């Protein structure tokens, strides 16, 4: 279990580094697909929430504050970059990713309870 936690912490660190690089670098992807940016925000914060949960098992309120703070930091930094812009919609997409993670976690926990009660 300790080895898993260490691996999740390393994966979280790598994810934060990669995501930070992507959100602070000059965009090089095609913007022909509508809302691709928002999908990226949502999926990034879903993954960050999952890895944070697996690495540290924080209380839900702590995880939400951390994710909201990191999302806000991203938008503040982007507001100072000439090739980026800060958008409330990006922050909302980030928080939707966190919410989607908790919805998935709730579903998995309900499924486990149901499966346990069915086998008894």
């Amino acid at each position: 279990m300790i080895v898993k936690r260490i691996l999740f912490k390393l994966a979280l660190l790598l994810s934060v580094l990669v995501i930070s690089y992507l959100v602070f670098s000059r965009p090089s992807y095609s913007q022909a697909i509508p809302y691709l940016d928002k999908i990226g925000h949502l999926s990034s914060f879903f993954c960050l929430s999952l890895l944070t949960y697996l690495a540290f098992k924080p209380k839900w309120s702590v995880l939400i504050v951390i994710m909201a703070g990191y999302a806000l930091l991203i938008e503040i930094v982007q507001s100072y970059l000439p090739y980026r812009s800060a958008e409330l919609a990006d922050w909302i997409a980030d928080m939707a990713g966190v919410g989607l993670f908790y919805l998935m976690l709730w579903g998995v926990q309900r499924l486990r309870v149901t499966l346990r009660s069915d086998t008894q």
Side-chain angles (χ1 to χ4, degrees):
M1 187 65 167
I2 292 174
V3 173
K4 283 184 184 180
R5 286 268 175 102
I6 291 171
L7 290 175
F8 288 132
K9 287 175 184 178
L10 289 172
L12 176 61
L13 176 62
L14 181 62
S15 296
V16 168
L17 292 173
V18 168
I19 290 168
S20 295
Y21 172 77
L22 291 172
V23 299
F24 299 138
S25 64
R26 187 177 303 275
S28 60
Y29 52 86
S30 170
Q31 297 191 12
I33 301 172
Y35 305 109
L36 181 62
D37 176 54
K38 303 308 177 255
I39 293 167
H41 279 269
L42 184 136
S43 59
S44 295
F45 274 77
F46 177 89
C47 291
L48 288 174
S49 297
L50 174 64
L51 290 171
T52 302
Y53 180 81
L54 292 172
F56 297 103
K57 300 281 193 234
K59 291 182 181 181
W60 67 269
S61 56
V62 171
L63 192 138
I64 289 173
V65 167
I66 290 168
M67 292 298 132
Y70 179 56
L72 182 61
L73 176 68
I74 287 172
E75 296 309 312
I76 290 170
V77 171
Q78 284 185 344
S79 73
Y80 289 101
L81 299 174
Y83 48 85
R84 290 287 187 171
S85 62
E87 295 181 27
L88 177 61
D90 287 348
W91 187 86
I92 291 170
D94 296 338
M95 294 300 95
V98 177
L100 187 61
F101 162 72
Y102 274 109
L103 183 62
M104 183 227 41
L105 182 63
W106 175 81
V108 167
Q109 289 172 340
R110 294 274 304 163
L111 182 61
R112 283 183 180 164
V113 168
T114 302
L115 291 175
R116 265 193 227 124
S117 66
D118 287 347
T119 59
Q120 293 178 353

